[in-house]
PDB file of all heavy atoms in Angstrom:
ATOM      1  N   LYS N 688     -36.522 -53.153  40.303  1.00 96.00           N
ATOM      2  CA  LYS N 688     -35.740 -54.103  40.962  1.00 96.00           C
ATOM      3  C   LYS N 688     -36.439 -54.684  42.149  1.00 96.00           C
ATOM      4  O   LYS N 688     -37.464 -54.140  42.596  1.00 96.00           O
ATOM      5  CB  LYS N 688     -34.414 -53.512  41.400  1.00 96.00           C
ATOM      6  CG  LYS N 688     -33.467 -52.968  40.295  1.00 96.00           C
ATOM      7  CD  LYS N 688     -32.171 -52.640  40.766  1.00 96.00           C
ATOM      8  CE  LYS N 688     -31.227 -52.285  39.590  1.00 96.00           C
ATOM      9  NZ  LYS N 688     -29.868 -51.808  40.116  1.00 96.00           N
ATOM     10  N   GLN N 689     -36.043 -55.827  42.496  1.00 96.00           N
ATOM     11  CA  GLN N 689     -36.525 -56.558  43.706  1.00 96.00           C
ATOM     12  C   GLN N 689     -36.084 -55.823  44.970  1.00 96.00           C
ATOM     13  O   GLN N 689     -35.017 -55.257  45.056  1.00 96.00           O
ATOM     14  CB  GLN N 689     -36.167 -58.003  43.716  1.00 96.00           C
ATOM     15  CG  GLN N 689     -36.874 -58.802  42.710  1.00 96.00           C
ATOM     16  CD  GLN N 689     -36.589 -60.290  42.894  1.00 96.00           C
ATOM     17  OE1 GLN N 689     -35.596 -60.792  43.461  1.00 96.00           O
ATOM     18  NE2 GLN N 689     -37.538 -61.171  42.433  1.00 96.00           N
ATOM     19  N   ARG N 690     -36.835 -55.916  45.931  1.00 96.00           N
ATOM     20  CA  ARG N 690     -36.427 -55.519  47.335  1.00 96.00           C
ATOM     21  C   ARG N 690     -35.309 -56.289  47.852  1.00 96.00           C
ATOM     22  O   ARG N 690     -35.247 -57.508  47.741  1.00 96.00           O
ATOM     23  CB  ARG N 690     -37.671 -55.606  48.243  1.00 96.00           C
ATOM     24  CG  ARG N 690     -37.527 -54.839  49.623  1.00 96.00           C
ATOM     25  CD  ARG N 690     -38.764 -54.848  50.448  1.00 96.00           C
ATOM     26  NE  ARG N 690     -39.829 -54.089  49.766  1.00 96.00           N
ATOM     27  CZ  ARG N 690     -41.060 -53.969  50.063  1.00 96.00           C
ATOM     28  NH1 ARG N 690     -41.499 -54.700  51.056  1.00 96.00           N
ATOM     29  NH2 ARG N 690     -41.958 -53.349  49.442  1.00 96.00           N
ATOM     30  N   GLU N 691     -34.283 -55.556  48.402  1.00 97.00           N
ATOM     31  CA  GLU N 691     -33.089 -56.238  48.895  1.00 97.00           C
ATOM     32  C   GLU N 691     -32.855 -55.847  50.300  1.00 97.00           C
ATOM     33  O   GLU N 691     -33.035 -54.672  50.692  1.00 97.00           O
ATOM     34  CB  GLU N 691     -31.860 -55.965  47.975  1.00 97.00           C
ATOM     35  CG  GLU N 691     -31.548 -54.517  47.949  1.00 97.00           C
ATOM     36  CD  GLU N 691     -30.152 -54.326  47.200  1.00 97.00           C
ATOM     37  OE1 GLU N 691     -29.364 -55.240  47.020  1.00 97.00           O
ATOM     38  OE2 GLU N 691     -29.962 -53.111  46.789  1.00 97.00           O
ATOM     39  N   LEU N 692     -32.236 -56.706  51.037  1.00 97.00           N
ATOM     40  CA  LEU N 692     -31.697 -56.352  52.441  1.00 97.00           C
ATOM     41  C   LEU N 692     -30.403 -55.708  52.297  1.00 97.00           C
ATOM     42  O   LEU N 692     -29.521 -56.305  51.800  1.00 97.00           O
ATOM     43  CB  LEU N 692     -31.734 -57.742  53.231  1.00 97.00           C
ATOM     44  CG  LEU N 692     -31.241 -57.580  54.640  1.00 97.00           C
ATOM     45  CD1 LEU N 692     -32.180 -56.701  55.519  1.00 97.00           C
ATOM     46  CD2 LEU N 692     -31.051 -59.041  55.317  1.00 97.00           C
ATOM     47  N   VAL N 693     -30.238 -54.609  52.939  1.00 97.00           N
ATOM     48  CA  VAL N 693     -28.993 -53.857  52.846  1.00 97.00           C
ATOM     49  C   VAL N 693     -28.209 -53.973  54.184  1.00 97.00           C
ATOM     50  O   VAL N 693     -27.014 -53.878  54.207  1.00 97.00           O
ATOM     51  CB  VAL N 693     -29.005 -52.452  52.398  1.00 97.00           C
ATOM     52  CG1 VAL N 693     -29.555 -52.424  51.042  1.00 97.00           C
ATOM     53  CG2 VAL N 693     -29.990 -51.655  53.338  1.00 97.00           C
ATOM     54  N   ALA N 694     -28.923 -54.092  55.329  1.00 98.00           N
ATOM     55  CA  ALA N 694     -28.292 -54.082  56.591  1.00 98.00           C
ATOM     56  C   ALA N 694     -29.146 -54.754  57.610  1.00 98.00           C
ATOM     57  O   ALA N 694     -30.400 -54.551  57.496  1.00 98.00           O
ATOM     58  CB  ALA N 694     -27.824 -52.764  57.091  1.00 98.00           C
ATOM     59  N   ARG N 695     -28.629 -55.406  58.575  1.00 98.00           N
ATOM     60  CA  ARG N 695     -29.469 -55.994  59.659  1.00 98.00           C
ATOM     61  C   ARG N 695     -28.759 -55.973  60.995  1.00 98.00           C
ATOM     62  O   ARG N 695     -27.524 -55.854  61.005  1.00 98.00           O
ATOM     63  CB  ARG N 695     -29.846 -57.451  59.394  1.00 98.00           C
ATOM     64  CG  ARG N 695     -28.749 -58.378  59.148  1.00 98.00           C
ATOM     65  CD  ARG N 695     -29.236 -59.764  58.681  1.00 98.00           C
ATOM     66  NE  ARG N 695     -28.176 -60.611  58.362  1.00 98.00           N
ATOM     67  CZ  ARG N 695     -28.313 -61.758  57.606  1.00 98.00           C
ATOM     68  NH1 ARG N 695     -29.547 -62.074  57.158  1.00 98.00           N
ATOM     69  NH2 ARG N 695     -27.208 -62.539  57.443  1.00 98.00           N
ATOM     70  N   VAL N 696     -29.415 -55.975  62.105  1.00 97.00           N
ATOM     71  CA  VAL N 696     -28.953 -55.811  63.416  1.00 97.00           C
ATOM     72  C   VAL N 696     -29.693 -56.744  64.293  1.00 97.00           C
ATOM     73  O   VAL N 696     -30.974 -56.872  64.240  1.00 97.00           O
ATOM     74  CB  VAL N 696     -28.996 -54.453  63.983  1.00 97.00           C
ATOM     75  CG1 VAL N 696     -30.410 -53.874  63.962  1.00 97.00           C
ATOM     76  CG2 VAL N 696     -28.206 -54.344  65.359  1.00 97.00           C
ATOM     77  N   THR N 697     -29.001 -57.725  65.069  1.00 95.00           N
ATOM     78  CA  THR N 697     -29.731 -58.505  66.050  1.00 95.00           C
ATOM     79  C   THR N 697     -30.160 -57.825  67.175  1.00 95.00           C
ATOM     80  O   THR N 697     -29.996 -56.517  67.425  1.00 95.00           O
ATOM     81  CB  THR N 697     -28.727 -59.621  66.486  1.00 95.00           C
ATOM     82  OG1 THR N 697     -27.867 -59.024  67.335  1.00 95.00           O
ATOM     83  CG2 THR N 697     -28.114 -60.368  65.300  1.00 95.00           C
ATOM     84  N   LYS N 698     -30.940 -58.431  68.078  1.00 90.00           N
ATOM     85  CA  LYS N 698     -31.513 -57.863  69.240  1.00 90.00           C
ATOM     86  C   LYS N 698     -30.454 -57.296  70.160  1.00 90.00           C
ATOM     87  O   LYS N 698     -30.712 -56.496  70.965  1.00 90.00           O
ATOM     88  CB  LYS N 698     -32.502 -58.696  69.914  1.00 90.00           C
ATOM     89  CG  LYS N 698     -31.993 -59.997  70.490  1.00 90.00           C
ATOM     90  CD  LYS N 698     -33.062 -60.856  71.116  1.00 90.00           C
ATOM     91  CE  LYS N 698     -32.501 -62.129  71.636  1.00 90.00           C
ATOM     92  NZ  LYS N 698     -33.606 -62.959  72.189  1.00 90.00           N
ATOM     93  N   ILE N 699     -29.174 -57.971  70.077  1.00 90.00           N
ATOM     94  CA  ILE N 699     -28.169 -57.457  70.957  1.00 90.00           C
ATOM     95  C   ILE N 699     -27.134 -56.572  70.219  1.00 90.00           C
ATOM     96  O   ILE N 699     -26.132 -56.255  70.829  1.00 90.00           O
ATOM     97  CB  ILE N 699     -27.396 -58.723  71.548  1.00 90.00           C
ATOM     98  CG1 ILE N 699     -26.865 -59.541  70.484  1.00 90.00           C
ATOM     99  CG2 ILE N 699     -28.371 -59.488  72.440  1.00 90.00           C
ATOM    100  CD1 ILE N 699     -25.901 -60.673  71.061  1.00 90.00           C
ATOM    101  N   GLY N 700     -27.385 -56.237  69.059  1.00 91.00           N
ATOM    102  CA  GLY N 700     -26.618 -55.209  68.392  1.00 91.00           C
ATOM    103  C   GLY N 700     -25.598 -55.696  67.382  1.00 91.00           C
ATOM    104  O   GLY N 700     -24.867 -54.884  66.795  1.00 91.00           O
ATOM    105  N   THR N 701     -25.598 -56.939  67.126  1.00 96.00           N
ATOM    106  CA  THR N 701     -24.570 -57.592  66.104  1.00 96.00           C
ATOM    107  C   THR N 701     -25.111 -57.074  64.747  1.00 96.00           C
ATOM    108  O   THR N 701     -26.267 -57.247  64.422  1.00 96.00           O
ATOM    109  CB  THR N 701     -24.470 -59.065  66.267  1.00 96.00           C
ATOM    110  OG1 THR N 701     -24.148 -59.469  67.547  1.00 96.00           O
ATOM    111  CG2 THR N 701     -23.471 -59.576  65.169  1.00 96.00           C
ATOM    112  N   THR N 702     -24.196 -56.646  63.977  1.00 97.00           N
ATOM    113  CA  THR N 702     -24.626 -55.976  62.568  1.00 97.00           C
ATOM    114  C   THR N 702     -24.088 -56.851  61.465  1.00 97.00           C
ATOM    115  O   THR N 702     -23.028 -57.512  61.513  1.00 97.00           O
ATOM    116  CB  THR N 702     -24.146 -54.648  62.500  1.00 97.00           C
ATOM    117  OG1 THR N 702     -22.745 -54.495  62.679  1.00 97.00           O
ATOM    118  CG2 THR N 702     -24.811 -53.791  63.498  1.00 97.00           C
ATOM    119  N   ASP N 703     -24.693 -56.689  60.284  1.00 97.00           N
ATOM    120  CA  ASP N 703     -24.273 -57.351  59.129  1.00 97.00           C
ATOM    121  C   ASP N 703     -24.817 -56.495  57.914  1.00 97.00           C
ATOM    122  O   ASP N 703     -25.835 -55.951  58.030  1.00 97.00           O
ATOM    123  CB  ASP N 703     -24.912 -58.770  59.021  1.00 97.00           C
ATOM    124  CG  ASP N 703     -24.393 -59.546  57.895  1.00 97.00           C
ATOM    125  OD1 ASP N 703     -23.142 -59.291  57.488  1.00 97.00           O
ATOM    126  OD2 ASP N 703     -25.048 -60.384  57.278  1.00 97.00           O
ATOM    127  N   TYR N 704     -23.927 -56.339  56.853  1.00 98.00           N
ATOM    128  CA  TYR N 704     -24.220 -55.447  55.772  1.00 98.00           C
ATOM    129  C   TYR N 704     -24.092 -56.085  54.457  1.00 98.00           C
ATOM    130  O   TYR N 704     -23.226 -57.081  54.164  1.00 98.00           O
ATOM    131  CB  TYR N 704     -23.235 -54.241  55.867  1.00 98.00           C
ATOM    132  CG  TYR N 704     -23.448 -53.445  57.051  1.00 98.00           C
ATOM    133  CD1 TYR N 704     -22.512 -53.695  58.224  1.00 98.00           C
ATOM    134  CD2 TYR N 704     -24.308 -52.453  57.187  1.00 98.00           C
ATOM    135  CE1 TYR N 704     -22.705 -53.022  59.384  1.00 98.00           C
ATOM    136  CE2 TYR N 704     -24.421 -51.647  58.329  1.00 98.00           C
ATOM    137  CZ  TYR N 704     -23.620 -51.898  59.390  1.00 98.00           C
ATOM    138  OH  TYR N 704     -23.788 -51.274  60.518  1.00 98.00           O
ATOM    139  N   GLY N 705     -24.812 -55.667  53.479  1.00 97.00           N
ATOM    140  CA  GLY N 705     -24.656 -56.063  52.075  1.00 97.00           C
ATOM    141  C   GLY N 705     -23.320 -55.527  51.604  1.00 97.00           C
ATOM    142  O   GLY N 705     -22.886 -54.413  51.974  1.00 97.00           O
ATOM    143  N   ASP N 706     -22.770 -56.157  50.594  1.00 97.00           N
ATOM    144  CA  ASP N 706     -21.403 -55.695  50.043  1.00 97.00           C
ATOM    145  C   ASP N 706     -21.428 -54.304  49.460  1.00 97.00           C
ATOM    146  O   ASP N 706     -20.481 -53.585  49.488  1.00 97.00           O
ATOM    147  CB  ASP N 706     -20.932 -56.756  48.987  1.00 97.00           C
ATOM    148  CG  ASP N 706     -20.527 -58.064  49.666  1.00 97.00           C
ATOM    149  OD1 ASP N 706     -20.229 -58.099  50.819  1.00 97.00           O
ATOM    150  OD2 ASP N 706     -20.517 -59.055  48.713  1.00 97.00           O
ATOM    151  N   SER N 707     -22.662 -54.061  48.871  1.00 96.00           N
ATOM    152  CA  SER N 707     -22.749 -52.595  48.248  1.00 96.00           C
ATOM    153  C   SER N 707     -22.730 -51.523  49.148  1.00 96.00           C
ATOM    154  O   SER N 707     -22.546 -50.297  48.758  1.00 96.00           O
ATOM    155  CB  SER N 707     -23.973 -52.616  47.427  1.00 96.00           C
ATOM    156  OG  SER N 707     -25.148 -52.734  48.158  1.00 96.00           O
ATOM    157  N   VAL N 708     -23.023 -51.718  50.462  1.00 98.00           N
ATOM    158  CA  VAL N 708     -23.058 -50.651  51.454  1.00 98.00           C
ATOM    159  C   VAL N 708     -22.025 -50.764  52.525  1.00 98.00           C
ATOM    160  O   VAL N 708     -21.971 -49.835  53.389  1.00 98.00           O
ATOM    161  CB  VAL N 708     -24.447 -50.457  52.031  1.00 98.00           C
ATOM    162  CG1 VAL N 708     -25.570 -50.451  50.974  1.00 98.00           C
ATOM    163  CG2 VAL N 708     -24.776 -51.681  52.993  1.00 98.00           C
ATOM    164  N   LYS N 709     -21.342 -51.851  52.531  1.00 98.00           N
ATOM    165  CA  LYS N 709     -20.354 -52.106  53.628  1.00 98.00           C
ATOM    166  C   LYS N 709     -19.413 -50.988  53.651  1.00 98.00           C
ATOM    167  O   LYS N 709     -18.751 -50.577  52.616  1.00 98.00           O
ATOM    168  CB  LYS N 709     -19.707 -53.510  53.397  1.00 98.00           C
ATOM    169  CG  LYS N 709     -19.031 -54.006  54.555  1.00 98.00           C
ATOM    170  CD  LYS N 709     -18.620 -55.438  54.399  1.00 98.00           C
ATOM    171  CE  LYS N 709     -19.841 -56.347  54.163  1.00 98.00           C
ATOM    172  NZ  LYS N 709     -19.370 -57.822  53.902  1.00 98.00           N
ATOM    173  N   GLY N 710     -19.033 -50.444  54.865  1.00 97.00           N
ATOM    174  CA  GLY N 710     -18.169 -49.307  55.064  1.00 97.00           C
ATOM    175  C   GLY N 710     -18.794 -48.015  54.804  1.00 97.00           C
ATOM    176  O   GLY N 710     -18.114 -47.025  55.201  1.00 97.00           O
ATOM    177  N   ARG N 711     -20.027 -47.975  54.373  1.00 98.00           N
ATOM    178  CA  ARG N 711     -20.587 -46.560  54.201  1.00 98.00           C
ATOM    179  C   ARG N 711     -21.874 -46.447  54.993  1.00 98.00           C
ATOM    180  O   ARG N 711     -22.206 -45.353  55.493  1.00 98.00           O
ATOM    181  CB  ARG N 711     -21.011 -46.480  52.651  1.00 98.00           C
ATOM    182  CG  ARG N 711     -19.948 -46.460  51.770  1.00 98.00           C
ATOM    183  CD  ARG N 711     -20.286 -46.139  50.286  1.00 98.00           C
ATOM    184  NE  ARG N 711     -21.204 -47.064  49.777  1.00 98.00           N
ATOM    185  CZ  ARG N 711     -22.453 -46.772  49.304  1.00 98.00           C
ATOM    186  NH1 ARG N 711     -22.920 -45.486  49.435  1.00 98.00           N
ATOM    187  NH2 ARG N 711     -23.336 -47.674  48.903  1.00 98.00           N
ATOM    188  N   PHE N 712     -22.640 -47.532  55.223  1.00 98.00           N
ATOM    189  CA  PHE N 712     -23.847 -47.508  56.016  1.00 98.00           C
ATOM    190  C   PHE N 712     -23.613 -48.165  57.336  1.00 98.00           C
ATOM    191  O   PHE N 712     -22.829 -49.025  57.647  1.00 98.00           O
ATOM    192  CB  PHE N 712     -24.922 -48.299  55.343  1.00 98.00           C
ATOM    193  CG  PHE N 712     -25.436 -47.713  54.103  1.00 98.00           C
ATOM    194  CD1 PHE N 712     -24.830 -46.605  53.485  1.00 98.00           C
ATOM    195  CD2 PHE N 712     -26.628 -48.201  53.517  1.00 98.00           C
ATOM    196  CE1 PHE N 712     -25.278 -46.065  52.313  1.00 98.00           C
ATOM    197  CE2 PHE N 712     -27.195 -47.666  52.288  1.00 98.00           C
ATOM    198  CZ  PHE N 712     -26.484 -46.653  51.679  1.00 98.00           C
ATOM    199  N   THR N 713     -24.302 -47.627  58.406  1.00 98.00           N
ATOM    200  CA  THR N 713     -24.310 -48.078  59.781  1.00 98.00           C
ATOM    201  C   THR N 713     -25.671 -48.200  60.262  1.00 98.00           C
ATOM    202  O   THR N 713     -26.496 -47.250  60.331  1.00 98.00           O
ATOM    203  CB  THR N 713     -23.473 -47.216  60.754  1.00 98.00           C
ATOM    204  OG1 THR N 713     -22.132 -47.032  60.140  1.00 98.00           O
ATOM    205  CG2 THR N 713     -23.415 -47.822  62.108  1.00 98.00           C
ATOM    206  N   ILE N 714     -25.998 -49.474  60.761  1.00 98.00           N
ATOM    207  CA  ILE N 714     -27.338 -49.735  61.268  1.00 98.00           C
ATOM    208  C   ILE N 714     -27.268 -49.688  62.782  1.00 98.00           C
ATOM    209  O   ILE N 714     -26.183 -50.176  63.288  1.00 98.00           O
ATOM    210  CB  ILE N 714     -27.978 -51.032  60.700  1.00 98.00           C
ATOM    211  CG1 ILE N 714     -29.380 -51.234  61.206  1.00 98.00           C
ATOM    212  CG2 ILE N 714     -27.045 -52.278  61.141  1.00 98.00           C
ATOM    213  CD1 ILE N 714     -29.977 -52.450  60.477  1.00 98.00           C
ATOM    214  N   SER N 715     -28.300 -49.192  63.448  1.00 96.00           N
ATOM    215  CA  SER N 715     -28.269 -49.292  64.904  1.00 96.00           C
ATOM    216  C   SER N 715     -29.687 -49.241  65.393  1.00 96.00           C
ATOM    217  O   SER N 715     -30.634 -49.183  64.593  1.00 96.00           O
ATOM    218  CB  SER N 715     -27.475 -48.055  65.468  1.00 96.00           C
ATOM    219  OG  SER N 715     -28.126 -46.797  65.081  1.00 96.00           O
ATOM    220  N   ARG N 716     -29.845 -49.520  66.640  1.00 95.00           N
ATOM    221  CA  ARG N 716     -31.163 -49.580  67.157  1.00 95.00           C
ATOM    222  C   ARG N 716     -31.184 -49.019  68.664  1.00 95.00           C
ATOM    223  O   ARG N 716     -30.158 -49.130  69.334  1.00 95.00           O
ATOM    224  CB  ARG N 716     -31.688 -51.057  67.189  1.00 95.00           C
ATOM    225  CG  ARG N 716     -30.939 -51.917  68.054  1.00 95.00           C
ATOM    226  CD  ARG N 716     -31.308 -53.456  67.756  1.00 95.00           C
ATOM    227  NE  ARG N 716     -32.718 -53.651  68.068  1.00 95.00           N
ATOM    228  CZ  ARG N 716     -33.440 -54.730  67.571  1.00 95.00           C
ATOM    229  NH1 ARG N 716     -32.853 -55.627  66.786  1.00 95.00           N
ATOM    230  NH2 ARG N 716     -34.691 -54.831  67.862  1.00 95.00           N
ATOM    231  N   ASP N 717     -32.360 -48.463  69.024  1.00 93.00           N
ATOM    232  CA  ASP N 717     -32.584 -48.022  70.330  1.00 93.00           C
ATOM    233  C   ASP N 717     -33.751 -48.739  70.825  1.00 93.00           C
ATOM    234  O   ASP N 717     -34.911 -48.382  70.451  1.00 93.00           O
ATOM    235  CB  ASP N 717     -32.840 -46.514  70.417  1.00 93.00           C
ATOM    236  CG  ASP N 717     -32.794 -45.997  71.782  1.00 93.00           C
ATOM    237  OD1 ASP N 717     -33.301 -46.844  72.758  1.00 93.00           O
ATOM    238  OD2 ASP N 717     -32.684 -44.843  72.070  1.00 93.00           O
ATOM    239  N   ASN N 718     -33.648 -49.894  71.587  1.00 90.00           N
ATOM    240  CA  ASN N 718     -34.747 -50.709  71.994  1.00 90.00           C
ATOM    241  C   ASN N 718     -35.689 -49.970  72.888  1.00 90.00           C
ATOM    242  O   ASN N 718     -36.908 -50.282  73.056  1.00 90.00           O
ATOM    243  CB  ASN N 718     -34.282 -51.980  72.612  1.00 90.00           C
ATOM    244  CG  ASN N 718     -33.589 -52.965  71.536  1.00 90.00           C
ATOM    245  OD1 ASN N 718     -34.012 -52.895  70.267  1.00 90.00           O
ATOM    246  ND2 ASN N 718     -32.820 -53.838  72.015  1.00 90.00           N
ATOM    247  N   ALA N 719     -35.148 -49.097  73.673  1.00 91.00           N
ATOM    248  CA  ALA N 719     -36.047 -48.308  74.657  1.00 91.00           C
ATOM    249  C   ALA N 719     -36.943 -47.306  73.894  1.00 91.00           C
ATOM    250  O   ALA N 719     -38.019 -47.066  74.410  1.00 91.00           O
ATOM    251  CB  ALA N 719     -35.110 -47.432  75.578  1.00 91.00           C
ATOM    252  N   LYS N 720     -36.588 -46.997  72.643  1.00 92.00           N
ATOM    253  CA  LYS N 720     -37.440 -46.199  71.877  1.00 92.00           C
ATOM    254  C   LYS N 720     -38.135 -46.903  70.744  1.00 92.00           C
ATOM    255  O   LYS N 720     -38.825 -46.208  69.963  1.00 92.00           O
ATOM    256  CB  LYS N 720     -36.657 -44.909  71.322  1.00 92.00           C
ATOM    257  CG  LYS N 720     -36.063 -44.092  72.369  1.00 92.00           C
ATOM    258  CD  LYS N 720     -35.227 -42.893  71.685  1.00 92.00           C
ATOM    259  CE  LYS N 720     -34.630 -41.974  72.691  1.00 92.00           C
ATOM    260  NZ  LYS N 720     -33.888 -40.753  72.024  1.00 92.00           N
TER     261      LYS N 720
END
């Protein structure tokens, strides 16, 4: 299969998810690390 985007997060923490993972996956980031 082709590579697909499943979740993304902006530099300020706004998140967006693919339909197949929504409600099950959580993306987050630690910019300090």
Side-chain angles (χ1 to χ4, degrees):
K688 295 187 176 181
Q689 289 190 334
R690 191 170 294 173
E691 63 171 343
L692 177 66
V693 296
R695 59 189 175 194
V696 58
T697 68
K698 61 182 180 180
I699 60 171
T701 304
T702 58
D703 188 27
Y704 299 92
D706 288 340
S707 62
V708 306
K709 199 170 295 184
R711 300 188 297 120
F712 290 10
T713 302
I714 188 171
S715 61
R716 65 191 298 163
D717 185 335
N718 288 337
K720 296 181 178 180

